[in-house]
Coordinates of all heavy atoms in Angstrom, one line a residue:
M25 N 15.5 11.1 -13.8 CA 16.6 11.9 -13.4 C 16.4 12.3 -11.9 O 15.4 12.9 -11.6 CB 16.7 13.2 -14.2 CG 17.6 14.3 -13.7 SD 17.4 15.8 -14.7 CE 18.4 16.8 -13.8
P26 N 17.3 11.9 -11.0 CA 17.1 12.3 -9.6 C 17.3 13.8 -9.4 O 18.1 14.4 -10.1 CB 18.2 11.5 -8.9 CG 18.9 10.7 -9.9 CD 18.4 11.1 -11.3
W27 N 16.5 14.3 -8.5 CA 16.5 15.7 -8.2 C 17.2 15.9 -6.9 O 17.4 15.0 -6.0 CB 15.1 16.3 -8.1 CG 14.3 16.3 -9.4 CD1 14.7 17.0 -10.5 CD2 13.3 15.4 -9.8 NE1 13.8 16.7 -11.5 CE2 13.0 15.7 -11.1 CE3 12.6 14.4 -9.1 CZ2 11.9 15.1 -11.8 CZ3 11.6 13.8 -9.8 CH2 11.2 14.1 -11.1
N28 N 17.6 17.2 -6.6 CA 18.3 17.6 -5.4 C 17.9 19.0 -5.0 O 17.1 19.7 -5.7 CB 19.8 17.4 -5.5 CG 20.4 18.3 -6.5 OD1 20.1 19.5 -6.7 ND2 21.2 17.7 -7.4
K29 N 18.4 19.6 -4.0 CA 18.0 20.9 -3.5 C 18.3 22.0 -4.5 O 17.7 23.1 -4.4 CB 18.5 21.2 -2.1 CG 20.0 21.3 -2.0 CD 20.4 21.6 -0.6 CE 22.0 21.8 -0.6 NZ 22.4 23.1 -0.1
D30 N 19.2 21.8 -5.3 CA 19.6 22.8 -6.3 C 19.0 22.6 -7.7 O 19.0 23.5 -8.5 CB 21.1 22.9 -6.4 CG 21.8 23.2 -5.1 OD1 21.3 24.2 -4.5 OD2 22.8 22.6 -4.8
N31 N 18.6 21.3 -7.9 CA 18.0 21.0 -9.3 C 16.7 20.2 -9.0 O 16.8 19.0 -8.7 CB 19.1 20.1 -10.0 CG 18.6 19.7 -11.4 OD1 17.7 20.4 -12.0 ND2 19.0 18.6 -11.8
Y32 N 15.6 20.9 -9.2 CA 14.3 20.3 -9.0 C 13.3 20.8 -10.0 O 13.5 21.8 -10.6 CB 13.8 20.5 -7.6 CG 13.9 22.0 -7.1 CD1 12.9 22.9 -7.4 CD2 15.0 22.5 -6.4 CE1 13.0 24.2 -7.1 CE2 15.1 23.8 -6.0 CZ 14.0 24.6 -6.4 OH 14.1 26.0 -6.0
P33 N 12.2 20.1 -10.1 CA 11.1 20.6 -11.1 C 10.6 22.0 -10.8 O 10.5 22.5 -9.6 CB 10.0 19.6 -10.9 CG 10.7 18.4 -10.2 CD 11.8 18.9 -9.4
D34 N 10.4 22.7 -11.8 CA 9.9 24.1 -11.7 C 8.6 24.2 -10.9 O 8.4 25.2 -10.2 CB 9.6 24.8 -13.0 CG 10.8 25.2 -13.8 OD1 11.9 25.3 -13.2 OD2 10.8 25.3 -15.0
S35 N 7.8 23.1 -10.9 CA 6.6 23.1 -10.1 C 6.8 23.2 -8.6 O 5.8 23.5 -7.9 CB 5.7 21.8 -10.5 OG 6.4 20.7 -10.1
L36 N 8.0 23.0 -8.2 CA 8.3 23.1 -6.7 C 8.9 24.3 -6.3 O 9.1 24.6 -5.1 CB 9.2 21.9 -6.3 CG 8.6 20.5 -6.6 CD1 9.7 19.4 -6.2 CD2 7.4 20.2 -5.8
K37 N 9.1 25.3 -7.2 CA 9.9 26.5 -6.9 C 9.3 27.4 -5.9 O 9.9 28.1 -5.2 CB 10.3 27.3 -8.2 CG 9.1 27.9 -8.9 CD 9.5 28.7 -10.1 CE 8.2 29.3 -10.7 NZ 8.6 30.1 -11.9
N38 N 7.9 27.4 -5.8 CA 7.2 28.2 -4.9 C 7.0 27.6 -3.5 O 6.3 28.2 -2.6 CB 5.9 28.8 -5.4 CG 6.2 29.7 -6.7 OD1 7.1 30.5 -6.6 ND2 5.4 29.6 -7.6
F39 N 7.5 26.4 -3.3 CA 7.3 25.8 -2.0 C 8.4 26.2 -1.0 O 9.5 26.5 -1.5 CB 7.3 24.3 -2.1 CG 6.0 23.8 -2.7 CD1 5.9 23.6 -4.1 CD2 5.0 23.4 -1.9 CE1 4.7 23.1 -4.6 CE2 3.8 22.9 -2.4 CZ 3.6 22.7 -3.8
M40 N 8.1 26.2 0.3 CA 9.1 26.5 1.2 C 10.2 25.3 1.2 O 9.7 24.2 1.0 CB 8.5 26.6 2.6 CG 7.6 27.8 2.7 SD 8.4 29.4 2.5 CE 9.5 29.5 3.9
A41 N 11.4 25.6 1.5 CA 12.5 24.6 1.5 C 12.1 23.2 2.2 O 12.3 22.2 1.5 CB 13.8 25.1 2.0
P42 N 11.6 23.2 3.4 CA 11.3 21.9 4.0 C 10.3 21.1 3.2 O 10.5 19.8 3.1 CB 10.8 22.2 5.4 CG 11.3 23.6 5.7 CD 11.4 24.3 4.3
V43 N 9.3 21.7 2.7 CA 8.3 21.0 2.0 C 8.8 20.6 0.6 O 8.6 19.5 0.2 CB 7.0 21.8 1.9 CG1 5.9 21.1 1.0 CG2 6.4 22.2 3.2
R44 N 9.5 21.5 -0.1 CA 10.1 21.2 -1.3 C 11.1 20.0 -1.2 O 11.1 19.0 -2.0 CB 10.9 22.4 -1.9 CG 11.5 22.1 -3.3 CD 12.1 23.3 -3.8 NE 13.1 24.0 -2.9 CZ 13.1 25.2 -2.5 NH1 12.1 25.9 -2.7 NH2 14.0 25.6 -1.7
N45 N 11.9 20.0 -0.2 CA 12.9 18.9 0.1 C 12.2 17.6 0.3 O 12.7 16.6 -0.1 CB 13.9 19.3 1.2 CG 14.8 20.4 0.8 OD1 15.0 20.7 -0.3 ND2 15.3 21.1 1.8
K46 N 11.1 17.6 1.0 CA 10.3 16.4 1.2 C 9.8 15.9 -0.1 O 9.9 14.7 -0.4 CB 9.2 16.7 2.3 CG 8.3 15.5 2.5 CD 9.1 14.3 3.1 CE 9.2 14.3 4.6 NZ 9.8 13.0 5.1
A47 N 9.3 16.8 -0.9 CA 8.8 16.4 -2.2 C 9.9 15.9 -3.1 O 9.7 14.8 -3.8 CB 8.1 17.6 -3.0
I48 N 11.1 16.4 -3.0 CA 12.2 15.9 -3.8 C 12.5 14.5 -3.3 O 12.8 13.6 -4.1 CB 13.4 16.8 -3.6 CG1 13.2 18.1 -4.4 CG2 14.7 16.2 -4.2 CD1 14.1 19.2 -4.0
D49 N 12.6 14.3 -2.1 CA 12.9 12.9 -1.5 C 11.8 11.9 -2.0 O 12.2 10.8 -2.4 CB 12.9 12.9 0.0 CG 14.1 13.6 0.6 OD1 15.1 13.9 -0.2 OD2 14.0 14.0 1.8
I50 N 10.6 12.3 -1.8 CA 9.5 11.4 -2.2 C 9.6 11.1 -3.8 O 9.5 9.9 -4.2 CB 8.1 11.9 -1.8 CG1 8.0 12.0 -0.3 CG2 6.9 11.1 -2.4 CD1 6.8 12.9 0.2
A51 N 9.7 12.1 -4.5 CA 9.8 11.9 -6.0 C 10.9 11.0 -6.4 O 10.8 10.1 -7.3 CB 9.9 13.3 -6.7
N52 N 12.0 11.2 -5.8 CA 13.2 10.3 -6.1 C 13.0 8.9 -5.8 O 13.4 8.0 -6.5 CB 14.5 10.8 -5.4 CG 15.1 12.1 -6.1 OD1 14.9 12.4 -7.3 ND2 15.8 12.9 -5.3
E53 N 12.3 8.6 -4.6 CA 12.0 7.3 -4.3 C 10.9 6.7 -5.3 O 11.1 5.5 -5.7 CB 11.4 7.2 -2.9 CG 12.4 7.4 -1.8 CD 13.6 6.3 -1.9 OE1 13.2 5.1 -2.0 OE2 14.7 6.8 -1.7
L54 N 10.0 7.5 -5.8 CA 9.0 7.0 -6.7 C 9.7 6.7 -8.0 O 9.4 5.7 -8.7 CB 7.9 8.1 -6.9 CG 7.0 8.2 -5.7 CD1 6.1 9.4 -5.9 CD2 6.2 6.9 -5.4
L55 N 10.7 7.5 -8.5 CA 11.4 7.3 -9.7 C 12.2 5.9 -9.6 O 12.2 5.1 -10.5 CB 12.5 8.3 -9.9 CG 11.9 9.7 -10.4 CD1 13.1 10.7 -10.5 CD2 11.1 9.6 -11.7
K56 N 12.8 5.6 -8.4 CA 13.4 4.3 -8.2 C 12.5 3.2 -8.4 O 12.9 2.1 -8.8 CB 14.1 4.3 -6.8 CG 15.3 5.1 -6.7 CD 15.8 5.0 -5.2 CE 16.9 6.0 -4.9 NZ 17.3 5.9 -3.5
E57 N 11.2 3.4 -8.0 CA 10.2 2.4 -8.1 C 9.6 2.2 -9.5 O 8.7 1.4 -9.7 CB 9.1 2.7 -7.1 CG 9.5 2.5 -5.6 CD 8.4 2.8 -4.6 OE1 7.2 2.9 -5.1 OE2 8.7 3.1 -3.5
G58 N 10.1 3.1 -10.4 CA 9.7 3.0 -11.8 C 8.5 3.9 -12.2 O 8.1 3.8 -13.4
Y59 N 8.1 4.9 -11.4 CA 7.2 5.8 -11.8 C 7.7 6.8 -12.9 O 8.9 7.1 -12.9 CB 6.7 6.7 -10.6 CG 5.7 5.9 -9.7 CD1 6.2 5.0 -8.7 CD2 4.3 6.1 -9.8 CE1 5.3 4.4 -7.9 CE2 3.5 5.5 -8.9 CZ 3.9 4.6 -8.0 OH 3.1 4.0 -7.2
S60 N 6.9 7.4 -13.8 CA 7.4 8.4 -14.7 C 7.7 9.6 -13.9 O 7.1 9.9 -12.8 CB 6.3 8.6 -15.8 OG 5.2 9.3 -15.2
E61 N 8.5 10.5 -14.5 CA 8.7 11.8 -13.8 C 7.5 12.6 -13.5 O 7.4 13.1 -12.4 CB 9.7 12.7 -14.7 CG 11.1 12.1 -14.7 CD 12.1 13.1 -15.3 OE1 11.7 14.3 -15.7 OE2 13.3 12.7 -15.5
G62 N 6.6 12.7 -14.5 CA 5.4 13.5 -14.2 C 4.6 12.9 -13.1 O 4.1 13.7 -12.2
R63 N 4.4 11.6 -13.1 CA 3.6 11.0 -12.0 C 4.3 11.1 -10.7 O 3.6 11.4 -9.7 CB 3.3 9.5 -12.4 CG 2.4 8.9 -11.5 CD 0.9 9.3 -11.8 NE 0.0 8.6 -10.9 CZ -0.9 9.2 -10.2 NH1 -1.0 10.5 -10.2 NH2 -1.7 8.5 -9.4
A64 N 5.6 11.0 -10.7 CA 6.3 11.0 -9.4 C 6.2 12.4 -8.8 O 6.0 12.6 -7.6 CB 7.8 10.7 -9.7
I65 N 6.3 13.4 -9.7 CA 6.2 14.9 -9.2 C 4.8 15.1 -8.7 O 4.7 15.7 -7.6 CB 6.5 15.8 -10.4 CG1 7.9 15.8 -10.8 CG2 6.1 17.3 -10.0 CD1 8.3 16.4 -12.1
S66 N 3.8 14.6 -9.4 CA 2.4 14.8 -8.9 C 2.1 14.2 -7.6 O 1.6 14.9 -6.7 CB 1.5 14.3 -10.0 OG 0.1 14.4 -9.6
I67 N 2.5 13.0 -7.4 CA 2.3 12.2 -6.2 C 3.2 12.9 -5.1 O 2.7 13.1 -4.0 CB 2.7 10.8 -6.3 CG1 1.7 10.1 -7.2 CG2 2.7 10.1 -4.9 CD1 2.1 8.7 -7.7
A68 N 4.4 13.1 -5.3 CA 5.3 13.8 -4.4 C 4.8 15.1 -3.8 O 4.9 15.4 -2.7 CB 6.7 13.8 -4.9
T69 N 4.3 15.9 -4.8 CA 3.7 17.3 -4.4 C 2.6 17.1 -3.4 O 2.6 17.8 -2.4 CB 3.3 18.0 -5.6 OG1 4.4 18.2 -6.6 CG2 2.8 19.4 -5.3
A70 N 1.7 16.2 -3.7 CA 0.6 16.0 -2.8 C 0.9 15.5 -1.5 O 0.5 16.0 -0.4 CB -0.5 15.0 -3.5
K71 N 1.9 14.5 -1.5 CA 2.3 13.9 -0.2 C 3.1 14.9 0.6 O 3.0 14.9 1.9 CB 3.2 12.7 -0.5 CG 2.3 11.5 -1.1 CD 1.3 11.0 -0.1 CE 0.6 9.8 -0.6 NZ -0.5 9.4 0.3
A72 N 3.9 15.7 -0.1 CA 4.7 16.8 0.7 C 3.8 17.8 1.3 O 4.1 18.3 2.4 CB 5.7 17.4 -0.3
K73 N 2.8 18.2 0.6 CA 1.8 19.2 1.2 C 1.1 18.6 2.4 O 1.0 19.2 3.4 CB 0.7 19.5 0.1 CG 1.1 20.5 -1.0 CD -0.1 20.8 -1.8 CE 0.2 21.4 -3.1 NZ -1.0 21.6 -3.9
E74 N 0.7 17.3 2.3 CA 0.2 16.6 3.5 C 1.1 16.6 4.6 O 0.8 16.9 5.7 CB -0.2 15.2 3.1 CG -1.6 14.8 2.7 CD -1.7 13.4 2.4 OE1 -1.3 12.5 3.1 OE2 -2.3 13.1 1.3
W75 N 2.4 16.3 4.3 CA 3.4 16.2 5.3 C 3.5 17.6 6.0 O 3.6 17.7 7.2 CB 4.7 15.7 4.7 CG 5.9 15.8 5.7 CD1 6.2 14.8 6.5 CD2 6.8 16.8 5.8 NE1 7.4 15.2 7.3 CE2 7.7 16.5 6.8 CE3 7.0 18.1 5.2 CZ2 8.8 17.3 7.2 CZ3 8.0 18.9 5.6 CH2 8.9 18.5 6.6
G76 N 3.6 18.6 5.2 CA 3.7 19.9 5.7 C 2.6 20.4 6.7 O 2.8 21.0 7.7
E77 N 1.4 20.0 6.2 CA 0.2 20.4 7.0 C 0.3 19.6 8.4 O -0.1 20.2 9.4 CB -1.1 20.1 6.3 CG -1.2 21.0 5.1 CD -2.3 20.5 4.1 OE1 -2.9 19.4 4.3 OE2 -2.5 21.2 3.1
H78 N 0.7 18.4 8.3 CA 0.7 17.6 9.6 C 1.8 18.0 10.5 O 1.8 17.7 11.7 CB 0.8 16.1 9.3 CG -0.4 15.6 8.6 ND1 -1.6 15.5 9.3 CD2 -0.6 15.0 7.5 CE1 -2.5 14.9 8.6 NE2 -2.0 14.7 7.4
H79 N 2.8 18.7 10.0 CA 4.0 19.1 10.8 C 4.0 20.7 10.9 O 5.0 21.3 11.3 CB 5.3 18.7 10.1 CG 5.5 17.2 10.2 ND1 5.0 16.3 9.3 CD2 6.1 16.5 11.1 CE1 5.3 15.1 9.7 NE2 6.0 15.2 10.8
D80 N 2.8 21.3 10.7 CA 2.7 22.8 10.9 C 3.7 23.6 10.1 O 4.3 24.5 10.7 CB 2.6 23.1 12.4 CG 1.4 22.6 13.1 OD1 0.3 22.5 12.4 OD2 1.5 22.1 14.3
K81 N 4.0 23.2 9.0 CA 5.0 23.9 8.1 C 4.3 24.8 7.2 O 3.2 24.5 6.7 CB 5.8 22.9 7.3 CG 6.6 21.8 8.1 CD 7.8 22.4 8.7 CE 8.6 21.3 9.4 NZ 9.6 21.8 10.2
Q82 N 4.9 26.0 6.9 CA 4.3 26.8 5.9 C 4.6 26.1 4.5 O 5.7 25.7 4.2 CB 5.1 28.2 5.9 CG 4.5 29.1 4.8 CD 5.2 30.5 4.9 OE1 5.7 30.9 5.9 NE2 5.3 31.1 3.7
I83 N 3.6 26.0 3.7 CA 3.7 25.2 2.5 C 4.4 26.0 1.3 O 5.3 25.5 0.8 CB 2.3 24.7 2.0 CG1 1.6 24.0 3.2 CG2 2.4 23.8 0.8 CD1 2.3 22.7 3.7
R84 N 3.8 27.1 1.0 CA 4.3 27.9 0.0 C 4.9 29.3 0.4 O 4.6 29.8 1.5 CB 3.1 28.3 -1.0 CG 2.6 27.1 -1.6 CD 1.5 27.5 -2.7 NE 0.9 26.4 -3.4 CZ 1.5 25.7 -4.4 NH1 2.6 26.1 -5.0 NH2 0.9 24.7 -4.9
K85 N 5.8 29.8 -0.4 CA 6.4 31.1 -0.1 C 5.3 32.1 -0.1 O 4.3 32.0 -0.8 CB 7.4 31.4 -1.2 CG 8.6 30.5 -1.2 CD 9.5 30.9 -2.3 CE 10.7 29.9 -2.3 NZ 11.7 30.2 -3.5
K86 N 5.4 33.2 0.6 CA 4.5 34.3 0.7 C 4.2 34.8 -0.7 O 5.0 35.0 -1.5 CB 5.0 35.4 1.6 CG 5.3 35.0 2.9 CD 4.1 35.1 3.8 CE 4.5 34.9 5.3 NZ 3.5 34.1 6.0
G87 N 2.9 35.0 -0.9 CA 2.5 35.6 -2.2 C 2.2 34.5 -3.3 O 2.0 34.9 -4.4
H88 N 2.4 33.3 -3.0 CA 2.2 32.2 -4.0 C 1.1 31.3 -3.5 O 1.0 30.5 -2.9 CB 3.5 31.5 -4.3 CG 4.5 32.4 -4.9 ND1 4.5 32.7 -6.2 CD2 5.5 33.1 -4.4 CE1 5.5 33.5 -6.5 NE2 6.1 33.8 -5.3

C-alpha cells in the first residue's frame, strides 16, 4: 500500500516532516521494487535518517 503525507506507518509519526516525507518516498519506491512493507519501512527509515543527517535536518520531534 503506497503511503503519503497523511497516511504513513506509525513508526514514522515522531519524525520531522522533511525526514518523514523522505522515508515515505523511499518506502514507496521499495514497495514498487517488490519489498515487503516491513522491510521497506525499515530500510526507508534508516536511509531517511542518513539523508537528514547529511542535510542538517532535525530528525525527530522534540522529546522523542
Side-chain angles (χ1 to χ4, degrees):
M25 165 185 177
W27 294 289
N28 59 50
K29 67 180 180 122
D30 298 316
N31 180 28
Y32 50 84
D34 284 342
S35 62
L36 300 177
K37 70 180 181 180
N38 292 323
F39 285 89
M40 296 298 292
V43 177
R44 182 176 56 242
N45 292 338
K46 180 57 92 172
I48 291 167
D49 290 344
I50 294 168
N52 284 334
E53 287 302 315
L54 292 171
L55 287 177
K56 287 180 192 174
E57 292 178 16
Y59 285 81
S60 69
E61 286 189 7
R63 190 74 181 127
I65 293 166
S66 177
I67 294 169
T69 300
K71 293 294 183 185
K73 283 183 193 176
E74 263 181 45
W75 174 85
E77 290 166 0
H78 290 297
H79 289 86
D80 294 323
K81 303 284 184 190
Q82 181 179 333
I83 306 299
R84 295 187 181 274
K85 295 177 181 176
K86 298 276 187 217
H88 296 279

